[in-house]
Amino acid sequence: MPITKIAAAGFSDAVNFRNIIINGDMSIAQRSTSVSSLTSSNTYKTIDRYATELGSNGTWTQSQSTDVPTGQGFAKSLKMDCTSTGSGGYLHITQRFEGQNLIYLNKGRSTAESLTLSFWVKSAKTGTYIAEFRDTDNTRNISKSYTISSADTWEKKTITYPGDTSGGLSNDNGASLELNLWLAAGSSNTSGTLQTDWASQVSANRAVGQVNLGDSTSNDWYITGLQLEAGTTASEFEFLPVDVNLQRCKRYYQLLDDGDATSAITNAISYNTTSAYAIIPLHPEMRALPSIDQVTGVDYFNYLNVGSGKPFNSFSGSTGNSTNKFMRINNAENITITSGTSGWIKTNNTSAFLAFDAEL
């Protein structure tokens, strides 16, 4: 008899990938599990697929937390902790989606699907928060509010957004839609009327009513179990095996090494007397030709060749000889080696960091 469901873990025998959100259980964090002293950002910091959009609104620590709702099957959450107050600026956590993954929603047609967002949230600050969708292909948006009713208590929220019959999404690998979870907003985003139906974007209408999470260093905000699906009903959270979840994240970001100076990053060959080249396959194929993400410094990397080490500071990538399927990299600073010999490259400092980035 086939097993249809393992109730305790939430797995089913036929994974439908109904959740448009990637890494909704916050379990994958390739870059870091904690980053402090955030005062401005428009990039990815800790948990995979979540960008931090922050400007002039205090100082923050972002981390992958083990504080989760009891008995719901989650092990990790994303935490924002205010460490220095601010006001007048903005802060939201964002996930962006490829247009080609959303064509089935029929956006821009009379048959446009509704969207239902569900998640678990907890904060020391009660009040109104805004969850916004932006159609970046057509500069349209819609915002809905939710209320945190009890301080320091996990609460489940469900929000339904009507389908948008205007503005079709591009069928490509670019960013077409984004979800913005607002935590603070200044007058430029709050001075109008909250735009609760799809329409052309008006900045003043994006986050009306949003509390300022940055008004006290006692404030924090946690989220997990983030799920977005077509339709008007929220289903149970779709847990994925960790290897499946990690592979989905690696389409956008792949960590090679984070300072483990005892292991090799890759084999390499001495292309000439000053440069060692390496071809690194990308598994899975990345969304687009990636850039190199690295933490560099004096002798942070090492090419072990013919019985000796040849340290260097950083890597260079060849975009003309790379694709979304493989990257060719080489030492950015000259080293003295014998042409035609082989070796292997490793990190040479615990602070060294090397990854490939194809984020939206």
Side-chain angles (χ1 to χ4, degrees):
M1 177 181 295
I3 298 174
T4 58
K5 185 173 183 182
I6 304 173
F11 295 115
S12 63
D13 62 340
V15 176
N16 297 316
F17 293 100
R18 63 180 175 271
N19 190 1
I20 297 169
I21 299 287
I22 295 176
N23 199 26
D25 64 355
M26 314 296 169
S27 61
I28 307 299
Q30 294 184 81
R31 294 170 179 83
S32 176
T33 57
S34 183
V35 174
S36 60
S37 302
L38 291 175
T39 56
S40 63
S41 181
N42 182 21
T43 189
Y44 299 82
K45 292 297 184 181
T46 59
I47 297 176
D48 279 56
R49 302 298 300 121
Y50 297 93
T52 304
E53 303 268 359
L54 168 62
S56 303
N57 206 100
T59 305
W60 300 81
T61 294
Q62 182 182 99
S63 60
Q64 184 186 50
S65 173
T66 56
D67 189 335
V68 294
T70 302
Q72 300 301 319
F74 301 106
K76 299 293 173 60
S77 63
L78 185 154
K79 177 184 180 182
M80 295 295 295
D81 184 27
C82 181
T83 57
S84 180
T85 61
S87 63
Y90 61 90
L91 171 60
H92 52 82
I93 304 300
T94 298
Q95 184 160 143
R96 304 183 180 101
F97 311 98
E98 295 178 52
Q100 62 189 359
N101 289 336
L102 305 175
I103 300 303
Y104 72 96
L105 297 177
N106 288 324
K107 189 177 183 300
R109 300 184 179 186
S110 60
T111 55
E113 293 273 8
S114 297
L115 289 171
T116 296
L117 181 71
S118 57
F119 53 92
W120 287 86
V121 67
K122 170 182 170 179
S123 179
K125 187 174 183 66
T126 60
T128 299
Y129 292 75
I130 303 299
E132 174 201 29
F133 284 101
R134 290 183 66 232
D135 167 3
T136 54
D137 285 338
N138 301 287
T139 321
R140 294 172 62 79
N141 77 313
I142 184 172
S143 297
K144 297 281 189 178
S145 65
Y146 66 94
T147 302
I148 293 181
S149 303
S150 301
D152 303 316
T153 303
W154 281 104
E155 301 173 357
K156 187 173 184 180
K157 306 299 176 183
T158 300
I159 311 170
T160 297
Y161 301 77
D164 186 11
T165 57
S166 298
L169 302 178
S170 299
N171 186 18
D172 58 26
N173 66 346
S176 290
L177 188 71
E178 66 181 31
L179 167 64
N180 296 314
L181 299 169
W182 288 81
L183 303 181
S187 59
S188 61
N189 296 127
T190 60
S191 58
T193 302
L194 190 67
Q195 192 160 291
T196 56
D197 289 305
W198 282 101
S200 296
Q201 181 179 305
V202 177
S203 293
N205 299 342
R206 294 180 63 188
V208 179
Q210 171 66 45
V211 301
N212 179 20
L213 193 70
D215 65 4
S216 170
T217 55
S218 297
N219 290 343
D220 52 27
W221 180 84
Y222 301 78
I223 191 168
T224 194
L226 192 61
Q227 182 150 295
L228 176 65
E229 54 198 308
T232 58
T233 303
S235 57
E236 292 184 15
F237 184 81
E238 183 181 53
F239 287 96
L240 299 179
V242 65
D243 57 332
V244 175
N245 202 17
L246 178 59
Q247 286 294 96
R248 299 189 78 195
C249 293
K250 282 187 172 183
R251 174 170 172 79
Y252 304 92
Y253 192 83
Q254 294 189 22
L255 174 66
L256 273 72
D257 201 292
D258 60 351
D260 181 6
T262 63
S263 61
I265 297 175
T266 183
N267 294 325
I269 189 168
S270 305
Y271 177 75
N272 52 35
T273 59
T274 59
S275 297
Y277 283 23
I279 304 294
I280 299 180
L282 301 174
H283 298 299
E285 295 178 13
M286 300 193 75
R287 180 191 65 84
L289 176 67
S291 60
I292 295 177
D293 182 19
Q294 57 184 326
V295 174
T296 65
V298 176
D299 295 346
Y300 266 34
F301 302 96
N302 200 3
Y303 176 46
L304 301 180
N305 170 252
V306 195
S308 64
K310 308 293 182 180
F312 57 96
N313 302 343
S314 62
F315 284 98
S316 176
S318 173
T319 57
N321 294 282
S322 301
T323 71
N324 66 329
K325 299 179 181 180
F326 67 88
M327 277 290 289
R328 197 199 80 180
I329 62 173
N330 59 275
N331 49 296
E333 298 76 30
N334 287 347
I335 53 179
T336 302
I337 51 180
T338 301
S339 179
T341 57
S342 62
W344 51 284
I345 293 172
K346 70 180 187 69
T347 51
N348 203 40
N349 188 294
T350 55
S351 296
F353 186 98
L354 180 64
F356 295 135
D357 189 336
E359 290 284 4
L360 291 162

